Amino acid sequence: MSKPTKGVNGTASANSSAKGAPAKAAPAKPKRGVRIEKPPAGSENLMKHTVFDELAFPTDPNNLYRQTVGSMLQAADLMNLPHELKIILAQPKNEIMVHFPVRMDDGQFRLFKGYRVQHNNALGPYKGGLRFHHDVHLDDVKSLSFLMTMKCSLVGVPYGGGKGGIKVDPYKHSRGEMERIVRRFTAAIAHDIGPDYDIPAPDVGSTSQHMAWIADTYCSISEGSGKNGMAVVTGKPVEIGGSLGREKATGQGVVDTLVEMLPEIGVDIKNCRVSILGYGNVGSWSGRIIQDKGAKVITVMDHTGAIRNDGGLDAHALAIHCQKTGGVAGFKGAAAIAKDEFYKTKVDVFIPAALEQMIQEPEAKLLNCKVLAEGANAPTTPAGERILQQRGIEVLPAILCNAGGVTVSYFEWVQNKTSHAWELETVDRELNKHMIAAARRCRDARKKYKCDLRTAAYIGALERLKQAYMVRGIFP
Ligand code: NAD
């Protein structure tokens, strides 16, 4: 195992991206509706900051980590966050990389690469999902762990941020191979996680079954330590301490946020038209829940294709179809359409719920919606966001919109710690309280600092982190 970079200041680490010139773009005037008085996120000022030079960040403007931290630094400047907090938060505390061998079904061994990045724990244990994807990289995991710190702070759960992953395509392995991969990865990072230290959860490509194997492996390794080992992960099956409502929680939070924010944008959720990019956990639950509130899901696209039904497709039937076939292609209740048509279709709400950086300039120019609600993490690039702002499309940022998942993960952890099981009604009610409080925190910051909603969300998150650092101090 490579040694993590330890220490409260999270020293600068090597980044994996290529070097290139920062992008130049002229700030443009928003067309309608959006209350932006400060330079919008995505303008060239995001790509320049003394902190980037001080910490030797990659210079490529397309680097996800630079883009993500850039938005935070813009908010930090606006609220005059002390410099030491900017540099602490601009890098993770620990970056753990492991390589581990696993026997395949044919008897041969393969070597796998895994990550766990622990961004910050000023507010509580590190918390964040595990991504199982063939293309996962250190910079992705760093970005996602950074977003977890911000999200947990904004939504008011007592956690810091972490994220991890395995470079693996879970769909190309048998159940037996996946079980051995997940258990061996757990053993490799067992001394770096724990119910009071770092608590993983599902993300893209990982499921509640994977969480069950992680919990079981961790319990076997830590038996006799007196810890409640099952609380080492959330997103577990309900039979072994998972929470009711966790599976749908992120989609539920997306819809709770829309219910709170749409009236001021002049959109009625009961009659609104929705488009969804990605129909996995977040996309399909957002679709099902918003349809149950009276909205119509018009178009959906995933890695298998794009579909459209102007009368509104059946979001529940589509979820069942995707579970059976692996994607939206071939769904009988809608017509297949081209990718461009998917983005161009007129809707009120567009929900990106697939992977990062999918809404770049070309997609932002095609979109024909009033609101973009970020179900996925970091789906909009700064350049894409600048176009959306020019076109008057309101962006509800991921650290607000998709915080429902980690909030119910927190409820699961509380239930495990207190040996108690909450009713679904309690979970949904408490989740709604957290989502509304977070939305109001963003709205208040937007009013006070006269900025866009993403900057406001970061300010809401940074305020809480600043308070924590003020009372904790910086060791020694
Ligand atoms: P998932 O694996 O269940 O679904 C991912 C979806 O993205 C699938 O429908 C897949 O077809 C689609 N997709 C992948 N590549 C695509 C492409 N090139 N074009 C179009 N579609 C593509 O993952 P998920 O758990 O729903 O996570 C989706 C996003 O939400 C990620 O950014 C994740 O980090 C974020 N998120 C998830 C949770 C959670 O609780 N699961 C919580 C917060 C944020």
Side-chain angles (χ1 to χ4, degrees):
M1 186 199 303
S2 65
K3 278 263 176 250
T5 49
K6 296 264 184 193
V8 79
N9 290 326
T11 50
S13 62
N15 283 282
S16 50
S17 58
K19 289 185 189 296
K24 291 256 180 214
K29 215 173 147 205
K31 256 197 199 158
R32 68 170 160 87
V34 182
R35 296 151 294 277
I36 300 158
E37 293 172 32
K38 300 284 173 188
S43 58
E44 76 277 18
N45 63 335
L46 258 186
M47 285 300 141
K48 292 180 190 156
H49 202 286
T50 50
V51 165
F52 288 149
D53 303 328
E54 187 177 341
L55 302 182
F57 261 59
T59 52
D60 178 1
N62 296 318
N63 178 270
L64 179 64
Y65 194 64
R66 185 178 175 113
Q67 288 181 352
T68 321
V69 172
S71 301
M72 180 276 285
L73 289 173
Q74 180 171 290
D77 288 347
L78 199 54
M79 64 181 281
N80 290 322
L81 192 76
H83 180 74
E84 62 272 21
L85 296 191
K86 288 182 196 165
I87 55 172
I88 288 170
L89 293 169
Q91 287 288 15
K93 273 178 84 171
N94 307 317
E95 298 171 20
I96 302 156
M97 274 193 270
V98 293
H99 294 96
F100 53 94
V102 179
R103 192 191 301 273
M104 299 289 98
D105 290 343
D106 64 4
Q108 300 293 311
F109 278 94
R110 263 190 61 187
L111 196 70
F112 290 87
K113 189 182 193 93
Y115 305 91
R116 188 70 188 166
V117 173
Q118 297 165 332
H119 179 263
N120 188 278
N121 61 351
L123 292 171
Y126 304 107
K127 183 86 190 86
L130 291 173
R131 179 165 296 193
F132 296 170
H133 195 272
H134 65 276
D135 201 23
V136 70
H137 286 93
L138 180 60
D139 272 355
D140 307 335
V141 185
K142 283 172 66 174
S143 305
L144 294 164
S145 70
F146 164 85
L147 287 171
M148 287 306 296
T149 299
M150 298 296 145
K151 197 181 300 181
C152 292
S153 179
L154 177 67
V155 85
V157 294
Y159 288 137
K163 203 82 181 189
I166 307 176
K167 220 180 225 318
V168 62
D169 183 344
Y171 305 103
K172 290 204 172 135
H173 291 276
S174 68
R175 181 182 165 94
E177 285 182 355
M178 270 320 287
E179 177 169 358
R180 292 194 293 280
I181 293 166
V182 169
R183 286 186 183 277
R184 191 65 176 70
F185 171 64
T186 309
I189 61 162
H191 299 293
D192 293 298
I193 57 174
D196 295 309
Y197 181 65
D198 183 357
I199 307 136
D203 187 68
V204 174
S206 58
T207 64
S208 58
Q209 176 60 72
H210 299 141
M211 298 306 117
W213 289 329
I214 293 172
D216 182 71
T217 308
Y218 182 83
C219 285
S220 305
I221 290 173
S222 64
E223 215 163 24
S225 68
K227 292 179 198 160
N228 173 11
M230 295 308 273
V232 71
V233 280
T234 57
K236 298 182 287 291
V238 174
E239 294 82 353
I240 56 163
S243 177
L244 292 173
R246 173 62 185 92
E247 203 204 316
K248 72 178 173 93
T250 309
Q252 181 77 57
V254 171
V255 178
D256 284 359
T257 307
L258 284 166
V259 169
E260 177 65 18
M261 303 298 281
L262 282 184
E264 67 183 61
I265 304 164
V267 176
D268 177 7
I269 199 155
K270 284 202 187 73
N271 300 306
C272 81
R273 290 159 59 89
V274 181
S275 181
I276 304 176
L277 172 59
Y279 213 69
N281 176 293
V282 181
S284 74
W285 279 110
S286 300
R288 283 176 272 185
I289 296 168
I290 204 163
Q291 176 180 292
D292 292 347
K293 293 211 174 285
K296 282 188 168 50
V297 178
I298 308 296
T299 55
V300 175
M301 182 165 87
D302 72 0
H303 70 288
T304 66
I307 55 171
R308 171 173 178 167
N309 179 337
D310 285 333
L313 53 79
D314 180 342
H316 291 272
L318 180 60
I320 294 168
H321 172 84
C322 288
Q323 274 154 18
K324 279 191 192 147
T325 68
V328 304
F331 180 60
K332 296 271 186 287
I337 54 169
K339 195 174 167 181
D340 271 16
E341 188 183 336
F342 166 76
Y343 285 111
K344 277 198 289 202
T345 301
K346 187 173 182 191
V347 289
D348 298 294
V349 177
F350 182 86
I351 306 176
L355 300 178
E356 295 77 35
Q357 297 183 307
M358 292 190 74
I359 309 301
Q360 305 196 8
E361 275 181 277
E363 291 77 19
K365 282 179 183 158
L366 290 176
L367 279 176
N368 191 359
C369 61
K370 293 178 183 148
V371 184
L372 183 142
E374 293 187 336
N377 284 308
T380 316
T381 63
E385 183 156 10
R386 184 164 47 82
I387 303 282
L388 295 177
Q389 289 175 336
Q390 286 167 10
R391 300 186 57 226
I393 296 171
E394 182 82 271
V395 177
L396 305 183
I399 64 166
L400 166 65
C401 232
N402 74 22
V406 73
T407 305
V408 176
S409 272
Y410 165 59
F411 299 159
E412 176 177 334
W413 184 73
V414 170
Q415 291 171 70
N416 293 165
K417 291 255 170 204
T418 55
S419 304
H420 196 65
W422 298 4
E423 310 223 322
L424 180 58
E425 209 186 7
T426 312
V427 173
D428 284 348
R429 190 182 56 241
E430 292 301 312
L431 169 61
N432 187 258
K433 275 193 215 163
H434 278 264
M435 296 309 299
I436 288 177
R440 290 186 180 157
R441 205 167 288 136
C442 295
R443 219 187 260 134
D444 290 348
R446 178 173 63 181
K447 200 170 160 198
K448 182 170 172 191
Y449 292 96
K450 298 184 175 31
C451 56
D452 63 279
L453 214 48
R454 187 183 308 284
T455 309
Y458 278 120
I459 290 174
L462 291 169
E463 293 282 8
R464 191 165 257 155
L465 283 155
K466 183 178 155 190
Q467 297 301 327
Y469 273 98
M470 274 170 66
V471 286
R472 287 185 68 146
I474 297 172
F475 178 80

